[in-house]
Amino acid sequence: MPQSIEEIGPRYKPANIYKIAEILPAELRRVAVLPLTTPTDKPLLISGVQTLETTVYSELEKSERFEVIPVSGDQLREWTGHASWSADEPLPPNLLQKLREGTGCDAILFCQLIRYQPYEPLAVGWKFSLVDKGGAPRDSKDPATRILWSADEVFDAGDVEVATAARVYYSQHLRNETPLADSSTILGSPSRFGQYTLSALFSTLPKRSLR
């Protein structure tokens, strides 16, 4: 399908990304995805979690980098004493060990929604951090962890390049759901715009090892 004039031009690409390598460690197959947190209890952020948390899991699965193991707040409280953790706070030295025992995971993904503006111009911001044991033996009690990948990005639909990238995403991935709709539809849908932002970020994850 030909692109509309609004879909032509520079497209936003996430830039505040860190990754330790282009390829994930061969042994990393299962990732425990912690509950989506927010830096504050502002109602807009809480509503954003309710709208987008399941999309985090579905877009991670679409990335096909690893098996996604969602961890509920109740599970996390049972294993660690807290219903949520963010990568920015002091973590218990046995956090990864506890999650390995509970889920069989090889790494943890911390997830935080840092901005959510569900009115035009839409804006969604994320912080993610994928960590593992840094090569230590699986049964090691060593608290040291390493960051394999992290992202800290805000997508603002008021930015022309972000809007263009979102519209292209809509045309390539979502148009079949409402074939008569214009690609600008995504700029008025917090859930679909959020889906675009997650797809854009998870595309920057290191590739999966073929070994």
Side-chain angles (χ1 to χ4, degrees):
M1 180 178 294
Q3 289 182 314
S4 69
I5 189 66
E6 293 83 359
E7 295 170 28
I8 298 173
R11 305 173 195 171
Y12 182 77
K13 295 182 178 180
N16 198 13
I17 305 293
Y18 166 81
K19 50 186 168 184
I20 196 171
E22 292 299 319
I23 303 295
L24 290 169
E27 66 275 11
L28 194 156
R29 294 293 176 180
R30 295 163 59 88
V31 171
V33 182
L34 301 193
L36 181 58
T37 66
T38 58
T40 71
D41 291 332
K42 291 182 178 179
L44 278 182
L45 285 172
I46 300 304
S47 70
V49 170
Q50 295 168 350
T51 300
L52 296 174
E53 186 164 33
T54 58
T55 308
V56 171
Y57 306 138
S58 62
E59 290 303 311
L60 272 175
E61 289 172 347
K62 288 179 186 177
S63 76
E64 297 183 335
R65 299 307 204 271
F66 37 70
E67 182 182 349
V68 176
I69 308 171
V71 177
S72 71
D74 288 341
Q75 288 175 311
L76 199 57
R77 183 182 292 106
E78 178 183 348
W79 297 331
T80 71
H82 289 270
S84 66
W85 291 99
S86 71
D88 296 331
E89 63 185 313
L91 301 172
N94 62 347
L95 177 61
L96 183 52
Q97 183 67 25
K98 289 288 187 180
L99 286 165
R100 277 178 169 170
E101 293 171 358
T103 68
C105 70
D106 305 305
I108 302 172
L109 182 65
F110 294 91
C111 310
Q112 189 169 63
L113 181 67
I114 59 175
R115 187 175 178 192
Y116 184 68
Q117 182 170 297
Y119 48 84
E120 298 184 24
L122 304 181
V124 178
W126 301 98
K127 288 182 73 172
F128 292 104
S129 188
L130 177 66
V131 304
D132 76 350
K133 203 67 169 181
R138 189 177 178 85
D139 59 352
S140 171
K141 303 302 182 182
D142 183 356
T145 58
R146 64 175 173 178
I147 298 175
L148 300 175
W149 170 84
S150 64
D152 187 345
E153 287 275 343
V154 174
F155 296 79
D156 187 337
D159 182 297
V160 173
E161 292 188 6
V162 171
T164 300
R167 294 183 69 140
V168 170
Y169 175 83
Y170 179 90
S171 292
Q172 294 178 348
H173 300 281
L174 302 176
R175 189 184 294 276
N176 288 341
E177 297 178 9
T178 52
L180 298 181
D182 184 86
S183 63
S184 63
T185 299
I186 195 171
L187 303 180
S189 169
S191 61
R192 292 309 187 200
F193 185 75
Q195 183 178 346
Y196 147 68
T197 65
L198 289 165
S199 176
L201 285 180
F202 295 153
S203 71
T204 70
L205 279 161
K207 304 297 183 183
R208 183 171 181 171
S209 171
L210 298 178
R211 288 193 299 163

